[in-house]
Amino acid sequence: MSLIVDHISYIYDKDSGLPTVGLKDVSLSIPDGQFIGVIGHTGSGKSTLMQHLNGLIKATEGSIYFNGEDIYDKGYDLKKLRSKVGLVFQYPEHQLFAETVFADVCYGPGNLGLDKKDCELRAYDALRKVGFPEELIFTSPFDLSGGQKRRVAIAGVLAMKPEILILDEPTAGLDPKGRDEILGMIKELQQKEKMTIILVSHSMDDVAEYVDRIVVMNHGSIFLDNSPQVVFSHYKELEEIGLSAPQVTYIMHALSEQGFPVKCDVTTIQEAADEIAACLKNN
Amino acid sequence: MLRDITLGQYYQTESVIHRLDPRVKLLGTILFFISLFCFKNPVGYAIAIIFLAVVIFLSKVPFLFMVRGMKAIIFLMVFTSLVNLFATKGDAVLSFWKITITRQGIIMAITIAVRISLLIIGSSIMTLTTTPNHLTDGMEKGLRFLKVIKVPVHEIAMMMSIALRFIPILLEETDKIMKAQLARGADLESGNVFKRVKAMVPILVPLFISAFRRANDLATAMEARCYHGGDGRTKMKPLKYQKRDAVAYVILAVYLLVSIFLGRLWIFDIM
């Protein structure tokens, strides 16, 4: 059970006078249960790559294999693929349409041809998983706050019970509290539900705390693909392509340059604090 | 998905035609259309085709790019041509069962096809070489005289430029919403008409909401910058006729005179 991206390339407007390269020879293997952060600045191709993973865009070259099957094969059921590889778009609250929150979340499972009762059970379960307050599930989704709307939209994808959940900038436009809540909820989904999570972001600080692996995109190809520790150790190169490492990386490097014997490969604020405390104790 | 729509698109490049004043292009297009309806013989059409070919060459827009916009109206063209082919009375050339094809019918069908193609290519030359902003600017200034009879020219021009500006934004938005609903397992392509219309609801509702939201935001932004209509409003780049515009007007006048004169001259008649 895994998703393998095999040397795909994608060109926008291939037949028109102005072809633009979207992706260039991208290969990726996504094993079960991993929490992956995909980072890149605007226009680096990260959203384009994500739309390939559930077959919304067809690569101009290369293939994608889901559970050992080529998704570009004739007769491959893309609808089923999309229920297994759930994609939550940027600003997903813009896709809400139904009269009630509950009806909106039922839309996805309904499309899978499940009967009404199954849909409702799944919708209820999904809303519970995203921590949506139960007393609001029969209100109009348009009366909710931004953070709540986003939860509903994520629940709308979760209700299809995907094995892989892709989230494109799920924290865009949220305040710090809303951001931490959403990211915490996603981490919980990975740990409790054993879901594979792909989190797209342009901010290292967003993902550093949660992910097992970071894929850095630049100009439509993969620039780095490794554990957060290794990726952040390349912080100088990251700066060259318009990204930056988390703030703690900079602090630790500055400290070590000043002669403090601290390790520089910490990724979270907690780890950094422990490291500094241990260093102070030893001296 | 919706990137293929070329209608009213601007083609970015440097050319004489691009630099012409939009008023010249607007009036030129209208006069070109009028000339097409004046011709009575093929010589007029030949002159129109040559004139258009020169303009296309000067505009540096690839010809293929222009023809692609015609795909949508091919059905209309074939249909009107066929109707003319079978419905025009005159000297029979071919007749079978209840259908007669006349010499006049054949000429008429070809004329109609040529005329429609010239109309489409003529208008797409204008939109391909003029930015929407320029176009509405030209309209506003060119139609200023209507203000005397209380036509809100500035307001109409502003509405037009906003509407034109919003077409690509809304197309992109539609694309995004469609993809989001496809990702939730929406099926837009199968089923009967009723099923398909019903499948559009999850796309249309968010699209309307987003259109209203954007309109609201834009109104607030305009008001925050003290927009108060056209009176006393100055332009950063006011439209001013240049020497090349005068030259273009002269060429246009010559084209009109020659093409209409020769196009109506009885000695070239073939009907």
Side-chain angles (χ1 to χ4, degrees), chain A residues 253-278:
Chain A
H253 277 281
L255 282 175
S256 109
E257 270 167 37
Q258 296 290 322
F260 291 96
V262 287
K263 279 195 301 199
C264 293
D265 62 351
V266 298
T267 53
T268 66
I269 295 173
Q270 192 54 51
E271 282 172 28
D274 293 345
E275 181 67 28
I276 293 171

mmCIF file of all heavy atoms in Angstrom, chain A residues 253-278:
data_model
loop_
_atom_site.group_PDB
_atom_site.id
_atom_site.type_symbol
_atom_site.label_atom_id
_atom_site.label_comp_id
_atom_site.label_asym_id
_atom_site.label_seq_id
_atom_site.Cartn_x
_atom_site.Cartn_y
_atom_site.Cartn_z
ATOM 1 N N HIS A 253 22.757 27.535 15.303
ATOM 2 C CA HIS A 253 23.982 27.765 14.542
ATOM 3 C C HIS A 253 24.727 28.984 15.079
ATOM 4 O O HIS A 253 25.962 28.968 15.199
ATOM 5 C CB HIS A 253 23.662 27.953 13.053
ATOM 6 C CG HIS A 253 23.520 26.645 12.328
ATOM 7 N ND1 HIS A 253 24.603 25.909 11.917
ATOM 8 C CD2 HIS A 253 22.413 25.937 11.982
ATOM 9 C CE1 HIS A 253 24.169 24.813 11.321
ATOM 10 N NE2 HIS A 253 22.843 24.799 11.349
ATOM 11 N N ALA A 254 23.987 30.033 15.442
ATOM 12 C CA ALA A 254 24.621 31.236 15.985
ATOM 13 C C ALA A 254 25.320 30.904 17.300
ATOM 14 O O ALA A 254 26.455 31.327 17.544
ATOM 15 C CB ALA A 254 23.572 32.325 16.194
ATOM 16 N N LEU A 255 24.630 30.106 18.142
ATOM 17 C CA LEU A 255 25.223 29.721 19.425
ATOM 18 C C LEU A 255 26.504 28.923 19.216
ATOM 19 O O LEU A 255 27.519 29.162 19.876
ATOM 20 C CB LEU A 255 24.221 28.889 20.231
ATOM 21 C CG LEU A 255 23.104 29.666 20.938
ATOM 22 C CD1 LEU A 255 22.120 28.716 21.577
ATOM 23 C CD2 LEU A 255 23.674 30.627 21.972
ATOM 24 N N SER A 256 26.463 27.983 18.282
ATOM 25 C CA SER A 256 27.638 27.130 18.085
ATOM 26 C C SER A 256 28.798 27.944 17.498
ATOM 27 O O SER A 256 29.957 27.688 17.793
ATOM 28 C CB SER A 256 27.265 25.916 17.250
ATOM 29 O OG SER A 256 27.805 25.995 15.983
ATOM 30 N N GLU A 257 28.458 28.954 16.672
ATOM 31 C CA GLU A 257 29.513 29.828 16.158
ATOM 32 C C GLU A 257 30.177 30.643 17.266
ATOM 33 O O GLU A 257 31.356 30.977 17.197
ATOM 34 C CB GLU A 257 28.947 30.795 15.110
ATOM 35 C CG GLU A 257 29.015 30.225 13.699
ATOM 36 C CD GLU A 257 28.172 31.044 12.741
ATOM 37 O OE1 GLU A 257 28.137 32.290 12.896
ATOM 38 O OE2 GLU A 257 27.535 30.444 11.847
ATOM 39 N N GLN A 258 29.382 30.961 18.296
ATOM 40 C CA GLN A 258 29.915 31.712 19.431
ATOM 41 C C GLN A 258 30.708 30.811 20.388
ATOM 42 O O GLN A 258 31.173 31.271 21.421
ATOM 43 C CB GLN A 258 28.776 32.371 20.213
ATOM 44 C CG GLN A 258 28.007 33.424 19.426
ATOM 45 C CD GLN A 258 28.825 34.673 19.171
ATOM 46 O OE1 GLN A 258 29.584 35.100 20.045
ATOM 47 N NE2 GLN A 258 28.704 35.232 17.986
ATOM 48 N N GLY A 259 30.794 29.514 20.074
ATOM 49 C CA GLY A 259 31.621 28.623 20.878
ATOM 50 C C GLY A 259 30.876 27.785 21.904
ATOM 51 O O GLY A 259 31.502 27.104 22.707
ATOM 52 N N PHE A 260 29.533 27.823 21.846
ATOM 53 C CA PHE A 260 28.790 26.943 22.759
ATOM 54 C C PHE A 260 28.710 25.553 22.147
ATOM 55 O O PHE A 260 28.375 25.429 20.963
ATOM 56 C CB PHE A 260 27.374 27.481 22.996
ATOM 57 C CG PHE A 260 27.337 28.744 23.798
ATOM 58 C CD1 PHE A 260 27.280 29.985 23.157
ATOM 59 C CD2 PHE A 260 27.374 28.707 25.186
ATOM 60 C CE1 PHE A 260 27.252 31.157 23.891
ATOM 61 C CE2 PHE A 260 27.350 29.879 25.924
ATOM 62 C CZ PHE A 260 27.296 31.106 25.278
ATOM 63 N N PRO A 261 29.004 24.512 22.900
ATOM 64 C CA PRO A 261 28.979 23.159 22.313
ATOM 65 C C PRO A 261 27.561 22.604 22.222
ATOM 66 O O PRO A 261 27.206 21.669 22.936
ATOM 67 C CB PRO A 261 29.841 22.356 23.297
ATOM 68 C CG PRO A 261 29.684 23.059 24.614
ATOM 69 C CD PRO A 261 29.431 24.494 24.319
ATOM 70 N N VAL A 262 26.731 23.179 21.333
ATOM 71 C CA VAL A 262 25.367 22.665 21.170
ATOM 72 C C VAL A 262 25.261 21.931 19.837
ATOM 73 O O VAL A 262 25.986 22.235 18.890
ATOM 74 C CB VAL A 262 24.318 23.795 21.202
ATOM 75 C CG1 VAL A 262 24.144 24.317 22.611
ATOM 76 C CG2 VAL A 262 24.681 24.903 20.233
ATOM 77 N N LYS A 263 24.324 20.957 19.796
ATOM 78 C CA LYS A 263 24.065 20.285 18.526
ATOM 79 C C LYS A 263 23.165 21.184 17.672
ATOM 80 O O LYS A 263 22.253 21.826 18.189
ATOM 81 C CB LYS A 263 23.337 18.956 18.777
ATOM 82 C CG LYS A 263 24.277 17.834 19.194
ATOM 83 C CD LYS A 263 23.555 16.495 19.069
ATOM 84 C CE LYS A 263 22.340 16.500 19.949
ATOM 85 N NZ LYS A 263 21.769 15.223 20.291
ATOM 86 N N CYS A 264 23.410 21.219 16.373
ATOM 87 C CA CYS A 264 22.652 22.135 15.528
ATOM 88 C C CYS A 264 21.458 21.478 14.832
ATOM 89 O O CYS A 264 20.689 22.143 14.160
ATOM 90 C CB CYS A 264 23.561 22.745 14.469
ATOM 91 S SG CYS A 264 24.784 23.829 15.178
ATOM 92 N N ASP A 265 21.319 20.138 14.960
ATOM 93 C CA ASP A 265 20.295 19.482 14.155
ATOM 94 C C ASP A 265 18.947 19.334 14.876
ATOM 95 O O ASP A 265 18.181 18.440 14.568
ATOM 96 C CB ASP A 265 20.805 18.116 13.674
ATOM 97 C CG ASP A 265 21.100 17.177 14.834
ATOM 98 O OD1 ASP A 265 21.068 17.639 15.990
ATOM 99 O OD2 ASP A 265 21.366 15.980 14.573
ATOM 100 N N VAL A 266 18.637 20.214 15.814
ATOM 101 C CA VAL A 266 17.331 20.154 16.463
ATOM 102 C C VAL A 266 16.307 20.820 15.554
ATOM 103 O O VAL A 266 16.645 21.680 14.737
ATOM 104 C CB VAL A 266 17.338 20.851 17.844
ATOM 105 C CG1 VAL A 266 18.304 20.148 18.775
ATOM 106 C CG2 VAL A 266 17.687 22.307 17.708
ATOM 107 N N THR A 267 15.044 20.386 15.664
ATOM 108 C CA THR A 267 14.044 20.925 14.765
ATOM 109 C C THR A 267 12.923 21.658 15.480
ATOM 110 O O THR A 267 12.256 22.495 14.885
ATOM 111 C CB THR A 267 13.414 19.801 13.930
ATOM 112 O OG1 THR A 267 12.952 18.788 14.818
ATOM 113 C CG2 THR A 267 14.417 19.233 12.955
ATOM 114 N N THR A 268 12.670 21.336 16.748
ATOM 115 C CA THR A 268 11.563 21.996 17.418
ATOM 116 C C THR A 268 12.067 22.889 18.540
ATOM 117 O O THR A 268 13.209 22.757 19.001
ATOM 118 C CB THR A 268 10.582 20.966 18.028
ATOM 119 O OG1 THR A 268 11.263 20.265 19.076
ATOM 120 C CG2 THR A 268 10.120 19.981 16.982
ATOM 121 N N ILE A 269 11.202 23.793 18.968
ATOM 122 C CA ILE A 269 11.576 24.728 20.033
ATOM 123 C C ILE A 269 11.889 23.957 21.308
ATOM 124 O O ILE A 269 12.850 24.254 22.016
ATOM 125 C CB ILE A 269 10.432 25.739 20.262
ATOM 126 C CG1 ILE A 269 10.255 26.592 19.010
ATOM 127 C CG2 ILE A 269 10.711 26.618 21.475
ATOM 128 C CD1 ILE A 269 9.070 27.512 19.046
ATOM 129 N N GLN A 270 11.097 22.893 21.580
ATOM 130 C CA GLN A 270 11.306 22.111 22.798
ATOM 131 C C GLN A 270 12.693 21.461 22.802
ATOM 132 O O GLN A 270 13.437 21.551 23.775
ATOM 133 C CB GLN A 270 10.199 21.041 22.923
ATOM 134 C CG GLN A 270 10.143 20.352 24.270
ATOM 135 C CD GLN A 270 10.028 21.359 25.429
ATOM 136 O OE1 GLN A 270 9.181 22.234 25.426
ATOM 137 N NE2 GLN A 270 10.907 21.244 26.426
ATOM 138 N N GLU A 271 13.047 20.840 21.676
ATOM 139 C CA GLU A 271 14.362 20.212 21.571
ATOM 140 C C GLU A 271 15.480 21.224 21.760
ATOM 141 O O GLU A 271 16.483 20.961 22.438
ATOM 142 C CB GLU A 271 14.529 19.547 20.195
ATOM 143 C CG GLU A 271 13.829 18.206 20.064
ATOM 144 C CD GLU A 271 13.870 17.697 18.626
ATOM 145 O OE1 GLU A 271 14.819 18.057 17.899
ATOM 146 O OE2 GLU A 271 12.943 16.971 18.251
ATOM 147 N N ALA A 272 15.295 22.393 21.149
ATOM 148 C CA ALA A 272 16.308 23.446 21.263
ATOM 149 C C ALA A 272 16.472 23.866 22.716
ATOM 150 O O ALA A 272 17.598 24.004 23.225
ATOM 151 C CB ALA A 272 15.916 24.641 20.411
ATOM 152 N N ALA A 273 15.357 24.030 23.410
ATOM 153 C CA ALA A 273 15.404 24.444 24.813
ATOM 154 C C ALA A 273 16.132 23.406 25.649
ATOM 155 O O ALA A 273 17.001 23.729 26.470
ATOM 156 C CB ALA A 273 13.979 24.651 25.337
ATOM 157 N N ASP A 274 15.817 22.107 25.425
ATOM 158 C CA ASP A 274 16.473 21.029 26.167
ATOM 159 C C ASP A 274 17.975 21.032 25.907
ATOM 160 O O ASP A 274 18.783 20.879 26.816
ATOM 161 C CB ASP A 274 15.892 19.661 25.772
ATOM 162 C CG ASP A 274 14.448 19.526 26.228
ATOM 163 O OD1 ASP A 274 14.029 20.355 27.079
ATOM 164 O OD2 ASP A 274 13.736 18.624 25.740
ATOM 165 N N GLU A 275 18.330 21.211 24.646
ATOM 166 C CA GLU A 275 19.729 21.187 24.243
ATOM 167 C C GLU A 275 20.516 22.312 24.916
ATOM 168 O O GLU A 275 21.608 22.113 25.448
ATOM 169 C CB GLU A 275 19.805 21.311 22.710
ATOM 170 C CG GLU A 275 21.198 21.273 22.115
ATOM 171 C CD GLU A 275 21.890 19.932 22.277
ATOM 172 O OE1 GLU A 275 21.179 18.909 22.343
ATOM 173 O OE2 GLU A 275 23.125 19.927 22.373
ATOM 174 N N ILE A 276 19.893 23.510 24.913
ATOM 175 C CA ILE A 276 20.560 24.664 25.529
ATOM 176 C C ILE A 276 20.698 24.444 27.034
ATOM 177 O O ILE A 276 21.749 24.694 27.629
ATOM 178 C CB ILE A 276 19.792 25.963 25.222
ATOM 179 C CG1 ILE A 276 19.885 26.279 23.718
ATOM 180 C CG2 ILE A 276 20.367 27.140 26.012
ATOM 181 C CD1 ILE A 276 18.999 27.400 23.261
ATOM 182 N N ALA A 277 19.622 23.914 27.650
ATOM 183 C CA ALA A 277 19.642 23.671 29.097
ATOM 184 C C ALA A 277 20.752 22.683 29.452
ATOM 185 O O ALA A 277 21.534 22.886 30.386
ATOM 186 C CB ALA A 277 18.286 23.157 29.560
ATOM 187 N N ALA A 278 20.841 21.579 28.651
ATOM 188 C CA ALA A 278 21.859 20.556 28.903
ATOM 189 C C ALA A 278 23.260 21.152 28.766
ATOM 190 O O ALA A 278 24.161 20.877 29.569
ATOM 191 C CB ALA A 278 21.688 19.400 27.913
#
